[in-house]
Amino acid sequence: MNLCSEADKKKIVLISSDRSLVGMGPKILSSCLIEQGFKPTIVLMESDGDDFRNFLWKDLEDICNGASLIGISSMTAGVKKAVEIKKHLKNKCSAPIIIGGIHASLSPESLINDFEMLCHGEGEDLIVDLARRLANNEPYDNIPGLWLNNSGRIVKNQSAPLKRDLNDYPFPDYDLRHQFILEENRLVPVTPKPTHMRLDSFSIMGSRGCPHNCTYCCSPKMIQEFPWQKKVRHYSIDYLISHLKEVRRIYPEVRRFWIEDDTFFAKGFDEILNFSQRYKSEVGIPFEVLISPWTFSRDKIKVLVDAGMDKLIIGIQSGSENVARNIYNRNISNEKILEIIKSLHEFSGMAVCYDFIVMNPFETQEDLIYTIQLIKSFPAPFIVYSNSLAFYPGTKIYDMAVKAGIAVKGRMEYTEITHGYKILRNAKMRHKIFHLIILLMGGSGNNIKIGQVRRSFISDRFISFYSFLNKRLGLISDFIVSMIAGVFLFDARFKKTLRNILGDRTYLKLRKLLKP
């Protein structure tokens, strides 16, 4: 066995296996470790596939060489890759490896057999305590929230609340000098300019948790697992504004912020007003937020628009009140939703985006038609975001799907439209023609078309025709839609590959040149 050299007791490696370059979990933990004198390295192993085929593993081995602890952060979609990383490093490095992230908290039993350590719950205190005890050669088998696999003997230490208020923890670690990213199957140091980040939509959290109980969301399960946590824990406005200013200081290239709270309007009006006044004077670049219909407030929108909010996302999820109430546990009428939408469109200069969940196998033909009709009724212009329904372990809808015999494998990510095509092509679902129409309606909506669909093709007459095809020729119709989805999937993947090869600027120039 080619073990790494003797460990540097202060060296920690934090790896993200998620399909994202944000890596907020490792960055939060890194700042906590730095605060206590440790020397963390962050590795963002974002990749499109579900494995690391053709990856040069020696790059990761070299980074981990001499580390005293290796941490892997993973959401559900990145678990397979997290296990792959662990299995490889196990035979190359002597440092213990711990898995953490939302999946480890929601479904620890599914991971503990693959890892020797697991963080169950928030990791800010745990990672520092574990690193300190390892550095001092002290026992660590009683750390709150730490699960251990000692050759098959599982130790489950009860999790505990964070020792400090959220506002007393440091900002995430944005120092690029000890970060690596995956590019063309190699791990390379991050360049001084954050070209790998979304500078036009830099993500920051203003709170943790959600006040609602939607069946597809992990928040209710998190409250069940960790009952001492409030449904929503807000960062103070002082902390949030200081955080935003710190990002602008470190990355002056950032052009706008995406404040990624589950619902930003869970904050009271006085907090929103305070934030708006300070954001306008101290930060001063455009930003966007996500809200829910229940937290909608015209007064809150008014002060935020004045502060620079140029985009608002509101979760609708389905045009069927049956699905909203009985499948998603979202008790709100379409009448109320349309009332809110009418108010939203009174604010000029603010893009309005409506979030919908697609590829839901519980939906009937009537449910799907209700969604099409609701979207058609929105005043233009608007944007539709289509996100495929994910069955995350620990959520109520996951249990509903398993009970109904629905295949949940491959349905554990809430992601871009190409995943919807993949589901349409492969999954055993009914009413595929309507699922495809709604999927294609994702995008900008105007008086001519919605997404890629011309309004004339979703007129009442065409809807009746699609209903006839679905009822009388269901199997044939579903087969044809599966083939069409395969073509769309190939086209989307080809465009993404071409863009990666040519680069954004050359790709966009080529598209403009070839556009008829």
Side-chain angles (χ1 to χ4, degrees):
M1 185 182 298
N2 181 25
L3 294 178
C4 295
S5 61
E6 184 178 351
D8 176 346
K9 293 182 179 181
K10 294 292 185 180
K11 180 177 178 179
I12 314 291
V13 178
L14 301 172
I15 303 168
S16 170
S17 65
D18 291 327
R19 192 180 295 181
S20 167
L21 285 172
V22 175
M24 193 53 65
K27 290 175 183 176
I28 289 172
L29 300 186
S30 180
S31 64
C32 294
L33 288 163
I34 291 171
E35 187 181 48
Q36 299 301 318
F38 291 94
K39 298 182 293 185
T41 296
I42 297 172
V43 183
L44 304 177
M45 297 186 67
E46 183 265 350
S47 65
D48 287 333
D50 59 0
D51 58 32
F52 293 109
R53 198 172 308 164
N54 302 320
F55 171 58
L56 189 66
W57 285 100
K58 189 176 185 305
D59 288 347
L60 185 60
E61 294 167 23
D62 290 343
I63 292 169
C64 294
N65 183 41
S68 62
L69 176 64
I70 299 170
I72 304 176
S73 176
S74 174
M75 298 178 72
T76 300
V79 162
K80 183 179 177 182
K81 291 189 285 188
V83 173
E84 185 180 1
I85 292 168
K86 189 266 179 182
K87 286 182 177 178
H88 183 87
L89 291 180
K90 179 182 178 181
N91 298 320
K92 299 294 181 180
C93 298
S94 57
I97 301 173
I98 183 170
I99 180 76
I102 187 67
H103 188 88
S105 292
L106 285 174
S107 185
E109 289 84 1
S110 69
L111 284 175
I112 191 59
N113 289 327
D114 291 306
F115 289 85
E116 57 201 279
M117 296 182 185
L118 180 144
C119 174
H120 185 236
E122 293 170 309
E124 286 93 331
D125 298 329
L126 185 151
I127 195 74
V128 171
D129 197 2
L130 178 60
R132 179 182 58 79
R133 296 196 195 191
L134 286 169
N136 296 332
N137 293 317
E138 297 174 357
Y140 51 80
D141 57 352
N142 63 344
I143 295 176
L146 181 65
W147 286 31
L148 299 167
N149 182 350
N150 296 321
S151 301
R153 186 176 69 86
I154 309 301
V155 176
K156 304 177 182 179
N157 290 306
Q158 177 62 44
S159 302
L162 290 176
K163 295 176 182 178
R164 296 185 273 173
D165 184 85
L166 283 181
N167 299 294
D168 295 328
Y169 286 92
F171 300 140
D173 175 16
Y174 295 119
D175 189 344
L176 301 178
R177 292 173 296 180
H178 53 253
Q179 295 188 27
F180 292 81
I181 58 174
L182 185 60
E183 288 187 354
E184 298 179 357
N185 295 312
R186 298 294 304 269
L187 286 173
V188 298
V190 174
T191 58
K193 288 191 175 182
T195 54
H196 66 291
M197 296 180 181
R198 291 194 60 185
L199 301 176
D200 61 342
S201 186
F202 193 98
S203 176
I204 276 185
M205 296 294 293
S207 65
R208 295 186 187 183
C210 180
H212 310 311
N213 292 291
C214 304
T215 58
Y216 50 80
C217 180
C218 65
S219 289
K221 177 67 173 178
M222 294 295 283
I223 296 300
Q224 180 184 328
E225 288 288 315
F226 312 106
W228 54 82
Q229 291 182 3
K230 293 181 180 178
K231 278 192 169 185
V232 183
R233 291 169 294 158
H234 297 281
Y235 290 99
S236 69
I237 300 304
D238 278 343
Y239 185 97
L240 180 54
I241 293 294
S242 296
H243 188 178
L244 292 162
K245 289 167 66 176
E246 178 70 0
V247 171
R248 290 218 69 196
R249 183 188 69 80
I250 298 172
Y251 307 140
E253 303 90 349
V254 170
R255 296 184 291 274
R256 63 197 306 278
F257 283 112
W258 159 221
I259 304 176
E260 204 178 356
D261 298 33
D262 286 337
T263 174
F264 190 70
F265 281 13
K267 302 179 191 299
F269 177 76
D270 289 343
E271 282 186 292
I272 295 286
L273 179 61
N274 183 17
F275 169 83
S276 300
Q277 292 170 341
R278 292 192 57 186
Y279 188 95
K280 184 176 182 179
S281 62
E282 299 178 43
V283 183
I285 60 174
F287 67 97
E288 62 185 282
V289 302
L290 169 68
I291 70 169
S292 67
W294 301 280
T295 59
F296 168 79
S297 163
R298 201 176 186 283
D299 291 338
K300 291 179 182 179
I301 292 175
K302 185 176 180 180
V303 296
L304 288 171
V305 168
D306 181 64
M309 182 175 72
D310 65 349
K311 184 177 180 181
L312 181 141
I313 306 167
I314 182 168
I316 308 298
Q317 314 313 354
S318 176
S320 165
E321 293 182 1
N322 166 57
V323 171
R325 289 195 178 101
N326 300 318
I327 304 298
Y328 296 152
N329 193 34
R330 294 172 63 87
N331 190 15
I332 190 165
S333 68
N334 284 354
E335 182 181 2
K336 180 63 177 177
I337 287 172
L338 289 172
E339 179 186 319
I340 292 170
I341 288 171
K342 182 180 178 182
S343 294
L344 289 174
H345 280 265
E346 294 174 6
F347 293 92
S348 60
M350 180 184 73
V352 183
C353 310
Y354 303 108
D355 212 13
F356 280 86
I357 294 175
V358 299
M359 302 296 113
N360 178 355
F362 290 106
E363 289 181 303
T364 65
Q365 174 180 293
E366 289 70 27
D367 293 325
L368 295 163
I369 291 174
Y370 280 133
T371 293
I372 294 171
Q373 301 289 20
L374 181 66
I375 295 173
K376 283 167 55 180
S377 70
F378 293 167
F382 59 88
I383 299 170
V384 172
Y385 285 162
S386 299
N387 297 283
S388 299
L389 176 62
F391 297 112
Y392 294 122
T395 60
K396 291 181 181 178
I397 206 161
Y398 176 91
D399 296 336
M400 292 164 62
V402 171
K403 185 176 180 180
I406 295 170
V408 296
K409 188 177 180 181
R411 295 291 303 268
M412 295 184 183
E413 54 184 326
Y414 185 76
T415 186
E416 73 276 351
I417 194 169
T418 53
H419 190 58
Y421 295 142
K422 186 177 179 181
I423 294 169
L424 269 182
R425 185 187 64 178
N426 299 326
K428 293 180 179 179
M429 292 178 63
R430 299 178 62 198
H431 322 304
K432 284 191 175 184
I433 189 168
F434 289 104
H435 285 290
L436 177 62
I437 291 168
I438 295 173
L439 191 63
L440 292 174
M441 289 172 74
S444 299
N446 54 41
N447 293 325
I448 305 298
K449 65 177 186 176
I450 303 174
Q452 301 177 60
V453 182
R454 294 186 69 86
R455 284 183 179 267
S456 57
F457 290 136
I458 46 176
S459 65
D460 291 346
R461 181 175 295 182
F462 268 93
I463 293 295
S464 297
F465 175 65
Y466 302 142
S467 298
F468 170 80
L469 291 179
N470 187 52
K471 288 180 179 179
R472 298 297 178 90
L473 303 170
L475 291 176
I476 296 174
S477 172
D478 287 347
F479 174 77
I480 293 172
V481 170
S482 295
M483 299 295 290
I484 293 171
V487 173
F488 278 122
L489 182 62
F490 173 81
D491 180 61
R493 285 176 172 171
F494 174 77
K495 288 177 180 176
K496 188 169 185 178
T497 302
L498 186 63
R499 189 166 189 159
N500 289 337
I501 293 171
L502 298 178
D504 286 348
R505 184 174 297 179
T506 305
Y507 174 79
L508 293 173
K509 283 183 178 179
L510 182 63
R511 276 193 63 182
K512 188 175 181 180
L513 183 67
L514 296 177
K515 191 174 181 179

